Amino acid sequence: MALAEPSTLDEDTAAISYNVPHLVFEKNLQPISYSENDSRRALNALKHDALIQHAALRSEIAFVQDLESSTVLYQKNSDAVRPIASISKLMTALVVAESGLPMDEVLEIIDEDVDRVKHSSSRLSVGSKLNRADMMHLALMSSENRAAHALGRNYPGGMPAFVRAMNDKARALGMRNTRFVEPTGLSSDNVASPRDLVKLLTATSQHARIQQYTTNDQYSVQPVRGRQLVFNNTNRLVKNANWDIQVSKTGFINEAGECLVMLTKIEDREVAIVLLNSSGRYSRIGDAVRIRDLVEKSNGLAML
């Protein structure tokens, strides 16, 4: 004897009908035979599920997608909308890159660019002067908040117009669950979904300047006469010869946790990786390594 499935009526009616026994008679049942290919696919599916369980990521949110086929290779809480911290700077750079503003124009760090909310540190003192290209370089590579703020402030129409341009671009890219209120990511009101961030990664990958700036491991500038400063990339994986990274950005504020997004090649497969709200300073890097291992092993299973 088998129980009937709940009806599509209201919940109370469905609950009553679910408890009423209903006889089901077997009729014309035939034994099922599986081909060797079916068995192999079933075994590979089980192995793939085991690999996913083994990944044991420390990030609250993870999303991995093959960009050529659009196949989702891994997802964890992929529909969540969360603060994205300095990942916001990818959109800041995209708006600047497409603005047509002269990249050699010199911008100055002023008191307005100092973070009065999170009190984050900066190596660019008030009075520092760099051209727009260098400001973008430091904002992307070293997540320099004052540089990112200066880029927005020096946009035609000022900061309100820049933030409006960020949100307009998000809508144009189909980023339906994204909102920006400022260009640095210091505000927890800058939010997005993992799927939206893949769209942002794809858009920024079309700009050679953004690709270069996000993946340089080191860059020197002279913001004050006679003072040379060396900045490093906040993503140490760009220094690893085993990784082929096209676009990269890290982020952190307390509300967002440790974040990392990358567009990279894994065994000639172009893959977008989004990791949000990871716990522990190096956990996002560890998760990226675990995801790479997962994708490589999944590729191996597909060839069996």
Side-chain angles (χ1 to χ4, degrees):
M1 190 184 313
L3 296 179
E5 292 293 329
S7 71
T8 56
L9 303 176
D10 60 79
E11 290 183 359
D12 292 336
T13 306
I16 294 172
S17 63
Y18 185 79
N19 293 318
V20 177
H22 182 72
L23 291 176
V24 177
F25 295 95
E26 298 180 355
K27 183 178 180 181
N28 296 329
L29 297 181
Q30 300 294 327
I32 301 174
S33 61
Y34 294 97
S35 68
E36 182 179 344
N37 287 339
D38 289 335
S39 299
R40 185 177 297 152
R41 280 194 293 269
L43 179 60
N44 286 345
L46 288 173
K47 289 181 178 178
H48 184 264
D49 289 344
L51 283 174
I52 289 177
Q53 292 297 323
H54 179 68
L57 302 185
R58 295 185 64 183
S59 300
E60 179 204 354
I61 297 169
F63 188 72
V64 186
Q65 187 172 25
D66 182 316
L67 293 183
E68 183 176 354
S69 66
S70 297
T71 302
V72 176
L73 305 177
Y74 185 97
Q75 57 181 322
K76 176 184 176 184
N77 298 324
S78 61
D79 294 323
V81 178
R82 292 286 189 274
I84 58 172
S86 286
I87 308 303
S88 306
K89 293 184 177 78
L90 284 177
M91 182 59 83
T92 298
L94 186 60
V95 170
V96 172
E98 296 184 348
S99 68
L101 294 171
M103 298 304 288
D104 59 354
E105 180 184 355
V106 175
L107 312 180
E108 182 177 0
I109 299 297
I110 64 174
D111 188 68
E112 188 180 336
D113 300 318
V114 177
D115 172 23
R116 308 292 186 191
V117 178
K118 303 287 187 186
H119 304 288
S120 57
S121 62
S122 172
R123 298 175 67 197
L124 294 179
S125 58
V126 173
S128 296
K129 294 181 180 180
L130 294 171
N131 63 32
R132 185 173 276 107
D134 283 347
M135 290 287 192
M136 184 195 293
H137 203 150
L138 298 185
L140 289 172
M141 188 188 77
S142 298
S143 217
E144 246 299 339
N145 291 314
R146 292 182 186 178
H149 195 274
L151 289 171
R153 181 175 52 78
N154 284 279
Y155 187 80
M159 192 62 73
F162 189 80
V163 173
R164 187 161 55 250
M166 293 175 74
N167 286 299
D168 287 346
K169 187 62 181 179
R171 283 192 292 272
L173 293 174
M175 299 170 65
R176 299 176 181 273
N177 296 301
T178 297
R179 181 179 66 157
F180 297 102
V181 299
E182 50 83 34
T184 68
L186 287 169
S187 172
S188 59
D189 289 331
N190 282 11
V191 298
S193 69
R195 296 174 190 272
D196 280 1
L197 293 178
V198 171
K199 294 175 182 177
L200 180 57
L201 279 169
T202 303
T204 55
S205 71
Q206 305 304 309
H207 293 267
R209 190 186 296 270
I210 295 178
Q211 282 195 19
Q212 176 192 344
Y213 291 174
T214 64
T215 56
N216 282 157
D217 62 338
Q218 194 174 83
Y219 188 63
S220 298
V221 294
Q222 188 174 319
V224 179
R225 180 174 295 181
R227 188 184 180 195
Q228 195 81 7
L229 294 180
V230 179
F231 288 80
N232 295 302
N233 201 309
T234 53
N235 179 8
R236 64 181 188 177
L237 289 178
V238 301
K239 300 180 181 180
N240 190 324
N242 295 322
W243 283 81
D244 182 3
I245 301 173
Q246 282 82 56
V247 179
S248 162
K249 189 71 196 76
T250 63
F252 174 80
I253 55 173
N254 288 332
E255 298 91 335
E258 299 283 347
C259 303
L260 173 64
V261 298
M262 292 192 298
L263 195 160
T264 184
K265 279 190 177 180
I266 302 177
E267 294 186 341
D268 295 323
R269 197 174 192 176
E270 208 165 58
V271 174
I273 298 174
V274 176
L275 300 168
L276 303 179
N277 197 18
S278 187
S279 57
R281 184 177 178 185
Y282 301 110
S283 55
R284 61 191 177 190
I285 300 297
D287 279 354
V289 172
R290 282 183 279 272
I291 282 173
R292 175 178 171 157
D293 186 53
L294 173 67
V295 173
E296 288 175 341
K297 288 180 178 177
S298 296
N299 285 351
L301 285 176
M303 290 186 291
L304 292 177

